[in-house]
């Protein structure tokens, strides 16, 4: 397929969002709207030009050199925006124009638009949609024969025009020569005193160019996000799309309505996802896993057969057959080798655990390198922070860390070493040693019984007083 340039309009403030953030950077399923548009455009375009203006620096710093930028200093309308890209447009050929706020358009749709443009030998082809509620969109106005005459914006439309339910999605392919001429002649004599790209359509017809339309099969994908309600709608539609694709590929999603999976997340076959589970960012899940309910996994790489219930994991790598939770917190740079078991109320940060090691309950592990088949008892704490610096702990294979012990870093626990429950370990423990650090226990014969007798006597007395 031949490739063309794309111009994506993203200079507007997006007033209706009532946001400090530029509209096109608001995420839909984990990615800025503009990123979805760029991705779709790339399927038919070799060069992407983004028109930035309002808070353009934020957009630039997000996408860096993945695209080229032109600046529209004042937002005088969509035609004015395209005009800013004029010097970057090819001398001849075609250009795709899209809005940065229509995140649901797919590569297939744009390929269809391109095909129609070629098949109809048009000077311009508009991607249109028939919608149940056209409010706010430009309407496609046709003559008695059904040929496109013009696009009329909501604010400039008469009542008859308003009744038209075929709308402009804001996506077009133009022959560059026609577009250049129209851009140089378009006026701003309309309700908003803006230079409308949509007015270029009538101009191109005047120049004798042919204008055709490509109708979207699923009108919902035309959604332009101007406010937070539409942002939520876009989120819902994209989420449905992502969940459907995963289910078609062999993933069980128990309740798709309450399962939130970001664009680009990969999930293997026969994985089961329970309700209220979020899979976010750059996350890869293997086959045959069980995730959720109530689980949030962000930027993780997870192997096969992993079970994670009621837990939060961010920036971790989990190998096969690891089990996590309920109620565990795995923080960035945690690496769990095959078969590791992390139980309830355990927090792990920047640590690695070797094959088969277990931290079954109520523990904190930070900045630790832990070998294979290590057992860490309930309430054990790695004391990694002295108030100023973080220190490393090493626990070698087959060590046993008793309940409620503190390992004060930096410290090394040798192979097969045994830490007695309740010990506070401040010095290295050699291989095979037993370390015990606690006060001597003293048993006072009969003392408890005497206390008990006194207490019973006192209770009897106070009861008799009340009677
Ligand atoms: C626009 C179309 C309308 C179409 C709708 C589809 C025009 C005049 N109207 O209306 O026919 O139905 O999109 O969603 O084109 N922008 C700039 N510079 C500007 C103005 C806008 O870059 O000076 C950008 C915005 O950031 C946005 C896009 O262009 O990404 C569309 O602008 P917006 O104000 O949302 O246009 P709509 O009123 O939605
Ligand atoms: Ca819009």
């Amino acid at each position: 397929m031949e490739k063309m340039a794309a111009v994506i309009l993203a200079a507007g403030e997006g007033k209706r969002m009532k946001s400090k953030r530029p509209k096109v950077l608001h995420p839909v399923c984990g990615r800025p709207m503009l990123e979805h548009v760029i991705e779709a455009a790339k399927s038919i375009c070799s060069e992407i030009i983004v028109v930035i203006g309002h808070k353009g620096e934020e957009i630039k710093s997000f996408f860096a050199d993945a695209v080229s930028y032109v600046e529209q200093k004042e937002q005088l309308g969509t035609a004015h925006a395209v005009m800013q890209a004029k010097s970057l447009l090819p001398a001849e050929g075609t250009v795709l124009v899209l809005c940065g706020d229509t995140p649901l358009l797919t590569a297939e749709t744009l390929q269809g638009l391109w095909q129609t443009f070629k098949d109809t030998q048009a000077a311009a082809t508009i991607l249109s949609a028939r919608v149940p509620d056209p409010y706010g969109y430009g309407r496609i106005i046709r003559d008695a024969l059904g040929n496109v005459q013009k696009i009329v914006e909501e604010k400039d439309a008469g009542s008859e025009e308003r009744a038209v339910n075929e709308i402009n999605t804001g996506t077009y392919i133009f022959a560059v020569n026609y577009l250049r001429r129209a851009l140089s002649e378009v006026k701003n004599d309309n309700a908003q005193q803006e230079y409308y790209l949509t007015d270029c359509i009538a101009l191109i017809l005047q120049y004798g160019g042919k204008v055709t339309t490509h109708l979207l099969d699923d009108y919902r994908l035309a959604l332009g996000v101007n406010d937070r309600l539409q942002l939520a709608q876009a989120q819902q539609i994209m989420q449905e799309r992502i969940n459907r694709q995963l289910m078609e590929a062999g993933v069980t999603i128990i309740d798709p309505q309450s399962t939130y999976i970001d664009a680009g997340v990969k999930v293997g076959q026969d994985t089961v996802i329970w309700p209220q589970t979020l899979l976010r960012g750059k996350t890869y899940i293997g086959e045959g896993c069980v995730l959720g309910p109530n689980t949030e996994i962000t930027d993780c790489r997870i192997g096969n057969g992993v079970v994670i219930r009621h837990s939060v994991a961010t920036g971790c790598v989990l190998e096969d057959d690891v089990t996590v939770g309920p109620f565990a917190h795995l923080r960035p740079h945690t690496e769990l080798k095959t078969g590791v078991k992390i139980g309830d109320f355990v927090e792990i940060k920047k640590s690695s655990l070797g094959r088969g090691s277990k931290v079954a309950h109520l523990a904190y592990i930070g900045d630790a390198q832990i070998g294979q088949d290590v057992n860490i008892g309930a309430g054990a704490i790695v004391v990694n922070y002295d108030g100023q610096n973080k220190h490393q702990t090493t626990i070698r294979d087959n060590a046993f860390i008793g309940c409620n012990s503190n390992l004060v870093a930096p410290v090394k626990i040798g192979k097969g070493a045994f830490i007695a429950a309740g010990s506070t370990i401040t010095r290295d423990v050699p291989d095979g040693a037993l370390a015990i650090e606690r006060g001597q226990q003293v048993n006072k014969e009969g003392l408890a019984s005497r206390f008990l007798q006194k207490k019973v006597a006192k209770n009897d007395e106070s009861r008799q007083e009340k009677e």
Side-chain angles (χ1 to χ4, degrees):
M1 190 176 270
E2 315 101 279
K3 297 262 176 148
M4 63 184 118
V7 177
I8 304 178
L9 310 186
E13 180 182 348
K15 283 196 192 79
R16 289 165 278 179
M17 292 295 283
K18 305 221 164 66
S19 176
K20 294 194 174 74
R21 193 190 273 203
K23 175 166 78 172
V24 295
L25 288 188
H26 279 265
V28 172
C29 292
R31 286 182 183 170
M33 289 198 259
L34 180 56
E35 190 175 342
H36 292 290
V37 177
I38 291 171
E39 280 307 307
K42 272 186 182 162
S43 69
I44 58 167
C45 297
S46 51
E47 210 211 327
I48 310 282
I49 303 159
V50 177
V51 183
I52 54 172
H54 181 78
K55 298 206 171 158
E57 288 309 313
E58 285 182 42
I59 295 173
K60 254 184 172 172
S61 70
F62 189 92
F63 293 99
D65 53 9
V67 298
S68 349
Y69 304 91
V70 291
E71 203 189 340
Q72 184 193 25
K73 290 206 171 67
E74 265 185 295
Q75 282 75 61
L76 301 179
T78 47
H80 182 258
V82 178
M83 232 179 291
Q84 310 311 304
K86 237 169 153 182
S87 64
L88 293 184
L89 292 181
E92 48 186 44
T94 51
V95 58
L96 171 71
V97 177
L98 315 98
C99 296
D101 65 353
T102 51
L104 299 172
L105 295 177
T106 62
E108 296 75 59
T109 296
L110 296 183
Q111 280 155 10
L113 175 69
W114 180 217
Q115 200 56 50
T116 300
F117 176 84
K118 287 188 291 189
D119 292 348
T120 57
Q121 298 185 327
T125 301
I126 308 162
L127 182 66
S128 73
R130 284 195 188 282
V131 298
D133 177 13
Y135 179 80
Y137 291 98
R139 311 295 204 279
I140 310 279
I141 306 301
R142 294 176 185 270
D143 65 16
L145 295 172
N147 296 315
V148 175
Q149 282 182 304
K150 58 179 175 179
I151 299 174
V152 177
E153 291 305 297
E154 176 77 36
K155 288 186 176 139
D156 304 291
S159 58
E160 232 172 87
E161 289 167 335
R162 283 203 177 130
V164 171
N165 70 354
E166 188 188 5
I167 60 112
N168 166 32
T169 63
T171 311
Y172 330 73
I173 292 177
F174 293 101
V176 172
N177 52 345
Y178 279 97
L179 179 64
R180 276 181 191 280
R181 186 168 165 202
L183 287 175
S184 65
E185 291 181 13
V186 70
K187 304 228 161 33
N188 66 347
D189 51 354
N190 51 54
Q192 308 191 78
Q193 302 207 316
E194 282 184 7
Y195 297 93
Y196 288 164
L197 183 60
T198 45
D199 284 350
C200 291
I201 295 300
L203 288 171
I204 288 171
L205 287 164
Q206 275 176 33
Y207 309 148
K210 189 175 173 190
V211 174
T212 57
T213 56
H214 179 79
L215 189 72
L216 256 181
D217 297 332
D218 180 355
Y219 74 87
R220 301 189 313 162
L221 307 192
L223 183 67
V225 174
N226 299 313
D227 57 32
R228 307 265 181 168
L229 285 173
Q230 288 167 326
L231 183 68
Q233 282 166 8
Q235 167 75 31
Q236 200 184 347
I237 293 167
M238 190 167 295
Q239 194 61 79
E240 271 174 42
R241 182 196 293 171
I242 291 168
N243 290 355
R244 189 187 328 114
Q245 282 167 355
L246 287 173
M247 290 187 281
E248 282 167 0
V251 175
T252 294
I253 300 181
I254 303 290
D255 180 19
Q257 305 262 29
S258 74
T259 303
Y260 305 88
I261 303 178
D262 279 356
V265 169
K266 303 268 183 300
V267 185
Q269 215 178 18
D270 289 321
T271 284
V272 177
I273 304 174
W274 286 88
Q276 298 299 346
T277 292
L278 288 70
L279 305 181
R280 307 175 54 209
K282 288 190 170 51
T283 289
Y284 303 88
I285 310 278
E287 298 183 354
C289 295
V290 180
L291 307 178
N294 303 318
T295 290
E296 182 176 354
I297 300 173
T298 308
D299 297 332
C300 288
R301 187 172 281 278
I302 287 174
N304 300 325
V306 170
V307 177
I308 306 179
R309 298 162 56 221
H310 300 274
S311 291
V312 175
T314 307
C316 306
V317 178
L318 275 57
E319 290 188 354
D320 297 346
D321 304 317
V322 166
T323 66
V324 176
F327 315 115
H329 187 189
L330 306 181
R331 292 169 52 200
H333 307 291
T334 289
E335 213 183 309
L336 307 180
K337 301 284 184 199
T338 302
V340 164
K341 181 181 184 320
I342 304 300
D344 46 278
F345 306 106
V346 171
E347 175 176 336
I348 302 191
K349 186 216 87 172
K350 216 177 189 175
S351 296
S352 68
L353 277 86
R355 290 174 80 100
S357 287
K358 293 187 177 69
V359 190
H361 359 247
L362 300 154
Y364 172 68
I365 312 286
D367 304 299
Q369 310 306 315
I370 299 175
Q372 297 185 17
D373 295 313
V374 168
N375 194 311
I376 298 196
I381 302 288
V382 170
V383 185
N384 62 324
Y385 185 49
D386 61 12
Q388 280 174 335
N389 296 303
K390 303 271 167 67
H391 301 281
Q392 294 294 318
T393 296
T394 306
I395 304 176
R396 299 188 59 200
D397 298 350
N398 298 103
F400 184 98
I401 311 298
C403 290
N404 268 333
S405 37
N406 298 307
L407 306 180
V408 182
V411 71
K412 292 192 176 72
I413 311 298
K415 268 192 191 163
F418 191 107
I419 309 299
S423 300
T424 292
I425 301 298
T426 52
R427 284 182 290 132
D428 291 353
V429 179
D431 291 354
L434 182 145
I436 179 161
E437 188 281 336
R438 51 165 107 114
Q440 285 289 318
Q441 180 172 335
V442 179
N443 291 343
K444 309 256 180 188
E445 291 292 335
L447 195 60
S449 311
R450 289 215 303 274
F451 286 151
L452 192 63
Q453 277 167 10
K454 268 193 196 166
K455 199 165 147 194
V456 170
K458 210 173 163 194
N459 284 349
D460 285 351
E461 229 172 76
S462 68
R463 219 172 284 138
Q464 278 163 10
E465 267 170 30
K466 274 186 203 148
E467 279 165 10

